[in-house]
Amino acid sequence: MENYFNKNHILYTDNYYTSPALSHYLLEQKTGSCGTVHANRKQWPAFPARTKKGDIIRKKSGKMLALLWHNKRKVNMLTTAHQGTMVDSGKKERGTGRVVYKPDAVVDYNVNMRLVDKSDMMVAEIDCLKKCCKWYKKAILHLLDMTVLNAHILYQHLSKTKPSLRGFEKELVKQILEHYGAVQATCSRRHVPERHIDRLKVWEWMSRHKLALLPPQPSGRKGSRRCHVCFNTTQKEPARKETQYWCLECRVPLCPGCYSDYHSQQNF
């Protein structure tokens, strides 16, 4: 944004970014701002808890305008480039044909944010996000989704065929697996590393290999790890089973029931 400061541009943001602090900073850089905002955002003014459809409440501080408009639901807007007046939205009510009026900030926001909202809607079809505690994992997965979406748009411009986004993604995954699948197969999680081959020497493991409790965690709690056999088995459906035991010699976490299988079978 630094290259666009002091040029009277307007920055449109969604409720993840919008805040009074950001609007104040942009004003100092002679840059306008407009966006939806969370009702619990720090420094956001208090509005009545109960409103009805059509209500509009404005609160102003200098050039910053906080706006609450109740349409189908409550919409909170923060802008430094609008007055909050009701304007023609260009739409008409179904059935009655009456003109639909909306606050000027809402109309401009819908016009300028439509492409961002549309891309989010398109990505939702192939969204690979899942629950995770690390924010950077979500960021990386979202970037992968956006990369696939951008590749799909470019493909449609350069190709005569127009596959759907989901179909394009499936074909992309198929081609990646065809190209890299043979290389990855040699690195499969079920491959038996050379350092574990000695576990199969039955005459040795009876004396050297022993099942013991895992070391305790730094917090003092009992040690617990995923059983290597249960997770990497090829004889049945793999499972993420936790165990408090491991082989002292191999230093591999194992269930008591999987201990003998691990030391007697190459493909357990």
Side-chain angles (χ1 to χ4, degrees):
M1 280 295 297
E2 292 182 356
N3 295 331
Y4 299 95
F5 286 159
N6 302 306
K7 295 182 180 180
N8 296 316
H9 287 299
I10 300 176
L11 175 66
Y12 290 86
T13 56
D14 62 17
N15 54 22
Y16 184 82
Y17 300 98
T18 312
S19 69
L22 175 62
S23 296
H24 181 72
Y25 173 76
L26 291 174
L27 276 175
E28 292 178 342
Q29 310 302 323
K30 295 182 180 179
T31 303
S33 64
C34 176
T36 55
V37 59
H38 284 296
N40 60 351
R41 181 71 74 183
K42 189 176 180 180
Q43 299 178 339
W44 181 250
F47 284 96
R50 293 185 179 180
T51 56
K52 58 183 179 180
K53 186 175 181 180
D55 287 351
I56 178 170
I57 305 173
R58 310 172 185 86
K59 292 191 178 183
K60 200 166 185 179
S61 175
K63 290 186 177 181
M64 283 194 293
L65 174 67
L67 179 73
L68 170 63
W69 177 53
H70 193 144
N71 188 25
K72 294 181 180 179
R73 57 185 178 84
K74 293 181 180 179
V75 178
N76 295 297
M77 299 287 298
L78 180 63
T79 176
T80 60
H82 303 88
Q83 300 299 320
T85 55
M86 301 297 287
V87 297
D88 185 354
S89 66
K91 297 181 179 180
K92 294 184 178 180
E93 290 183 356
R94 184 178 300 176
T96 62
R98 291 185 299 180
V99 176
V100 176
Y101 287 91
K102 296 181 179 180
D104 53 359
V106 174
V107 173
D108 281 355
Y109 177 84
N110 290 337
V111 170
N112 289 281
M113 288 292 288
R114 68 185 186 279
L115 295 180
V116 176
D117 292 337
K118 185 177 180 180
S119 68
D120 290 342
M121 180 183 66
M122 294 173 68
V123 166
E125 184 181 354
I126 58 169
D127 188 5
C128 63
L129 287 178
K130 60 181 181 179
K131 281 190 174 182
C132 52
C133 299
K134 305 297 184 181
W135 65 267
Y136 56 82
K137 291 183 179 180
K138 292 184 178 180
I140 292 172
L141 291 174
H142 180 67
L143 288 175
L144 288 174
D145 290 336
M146 293 302 300
T147 301
V148 174
L149 175 62
N150 292 336
H152 176 249
I153 294 173
L154 290 174
Y155 182 84
Q156 286 188 321
H157 280 290
L158 299 174
S159 175
K160 294 181 180 180
T161 59
K162 305 294 181 182
S164 64
L165 180 57
R166 187 175 294 277
F168 175 81
E169 184 188 39
K170 289 182 178 179
E171 183 63 27
L172 177 64
V173 172
K174 179 182 176 181
Q175 292 185 17
I176 291 175
L177 290 175
E178 288 176 350
H179 188 272
Y180 297 101
V183 177
Q184 294 296 328
T186 61
C187 303
S188 170
R189 68 182 184 184
R190 293 175 184 155
H191 174 68
V192 181
E194 291 299 325
R195 62 188 179 87
H196 287 168
I197 292 299
D198 64 343
R199 65 185 171 83
L200 302 177
K201 298 179 180 179
V202 181
W203 61 87
E204 292 184 3
W205 74 262
M206 290 295 292
S207 58
R208 294 193 295 111
H209 298 258
K210 296 181 180 179
L211 190 67
L213 286 170
L214 283 162
Q217 298 179 3
S219 61
R221 298 176 60 184
K222 291 183 178 179
S224 177
R225 291 170 60 184
R226 186 174 57 203
C227 175
H228 180 77
V229 172
C230 291
F231 186 68
N232 295 282
T233 180
T234 57
Q235 308 300 323
K236 58 182 179 180
E237 186 69 22
R240 300 174 64 93
K241 187 176 180 181
E242 295 292 317
T243 179
Q244 296 179 356
Y245 297 90
W246 70 339
C247 176
L248 277 175
E249 178 68 19
C250 301
R251 306 185 71 82
V252 174
L254 298 166
C255 299
C258 299
Y259 178 72
S260 60
D261 292 342
Y262 179 75
H263 291 98
S264 61
Q265 302 177 24
Q266 181 170 350
N267 298 313
F268 35 78

